[in-house]
Amino acid sequence: ILDNTVDYVALHEVQTLQFIYVNQGAINQVGYAREELLQMTPLDINPVVNGEEARLLLAPLFNGSQSSLLMESVHQHKNGTLIPVELQIQYLDIGQTKHLVVTARDITERKRAEVEREQLLNDTRLSQQFLRTVLDTSPDWIFAKDRNFRYILVNQVFVTALGFTPEQMIGKNDIDIGFPEELVFGNPAKGIRGFRIDDQTVLESHQEVSNP
């Protein structure tokens, strides 16, 4: 049954850590023949942990403080390729003897996805920084509002002219920051069209509006 799983599964003798069983998944993962692995220990395929470190890592199992361990590590294929793996290690009675049972899942694709996601986040941060630099070096007033007419983006020239900081304006509407109602909603008697009409027109038509 264990040979039908793609994951690495192995049993180890507790004192020497020598392999005493490996499934086909383990053979496929590290590239050694079964006979070769049965003459080896995990230290022979793990380039990042030595014997003393292994004993320290396994101590919670041996002293009973934990029933299993879950960690990320690295296996080295026979051809030298490094394989990131997620290890689950248990200390179990099999028959009348205790053994270490280790499963190892190849997480190469997960790690690749994490790197790609981090690169995407970094690219996004750089794009945002670039956009912010462009906005804040423009002499024009630049701002954006959501559908509730709240400011979601403002440039430095705009907020400086109004005597605010960006933090004081984001999330607020024109009334919140102190514009007179007739400037916001308009006053036909005085020939004032009002910001809100222009904002509504832009939101509905996605067209530029000029209000001199």
Side-chain angles (χ1 to χ4, degrees):
I1 295 175
L2 291 178
D3 276 341
N4 293 329
T5 177
V6 296
D7 288 339
Y8 165 122
V9 180
L11 299 183
H12 298 274
E13 198 278 324
V14 172
Q15 296 301 317
T16 65
L17 300 183
Q18 186 170 343
F19 287 98
I20 58 175
Y21 167 80
V22 290
N23 75 335
Q24 189 60 44
I27 294 167
N28 295 341
Q29 187 179 108
V30 297
Y32 289 94
R34 191 183 311 273
E35 294 74 17
E36 292 177 296
L37 284 170
L38 294 178
Q39 302 301 313
M40 300 164 67
T41 77
L43 304 179
D44 295 315
I45 61 169
N46 189 318
V48 298
V49 176
N50 60 36
E52 182 178 353
E53 291 169 337
R55 289 291 173 183
L56 289 174
L57 288 172
L58 296 172
L61 295 179
F62 295 151
N63 64 29
S65 61
Q66 290 183 230
S67 60
S68 65
L69 300 174
L70 184 66
M71 67 186 74
E72 291 186 4
S73 191
V74 176
H75 281 169
Q76 186 168 29
H77 192 276
K78 188 176 182 178
N79 65 14
T81 302
L82 297 180
I83 306 162
V85 293
E86 182 180 75
L87 298 177
Q88 184 172 38
I89 308 173
Q90 295 175 281
Y91 188 37
L92 299 177
D93 286 313
I94 300 177
Q96 296 182 342
T97 308
K98 284 188 176 295
H99 294 90
L100 289 171
V101 182
V102 180
T103 60
R105 174 159 295 177
D106 184 335
I107 55 173
T108 300
E109 290 304 317
R110 183 199 303 177
K111 287 297 182 182
R112 183 178 292 118
E114 288 174 358
V115 170
E116 291 174 353
R117 183 167 57 251
E118 184 58 35
Q119 183 62 51
L120 178 61
L121 290 173
N122 186 56
D123 290 345
T124 301
R125 285 192 291 267
L126 290 175
S127 297
Q128 290 173 339
Q129 291 170 3
F130 176 73
L131 175 61
R132 173 51 60 188
T133 299
V134 171
L135 291 176
D136 286 342
T137 55
S138 171
D140 298 322
W141 287 15
I142 301 175
F143 59 86
K145 297 177 181 178
D146 65 15
R147 291 191 172 275
N148 292 313
F149 310 104
R150 295 172 300 201
Y151 288 96
I152 57 175
L153 180 149
V154 290
N155 75 337
Q156 194 60 50
V157 172
F158 180 48
V159 297
T160 299
L162 297 180
F164 293 103
T165 65
E167 292 75 17
Q168 290 172 318
M169 292 191 65
I170 297 299
K172 296 180 181 178
N173 61 36
D174 294 312
I175 295 297
D176 294 333
I177 63 176
F179 279 108
E181 287 194 11
E182 65 178 12
L183 290 181
V184 177
F185 299 107
N187 186 333
K190 295 182 179 181
I192 300 172
R193 186 165 63 192
F195 307 151
R196 186 60 57 84
I197 294 175
D198 292 338
D199 291 345
Q200 190 70 50
T201 299
V202 170
L203 288 170
E204 291 177 355
S205 69
H206 305 289
Q207 299 296 319
E208 180 180 336
V209 171
S210 176
N211 187 352

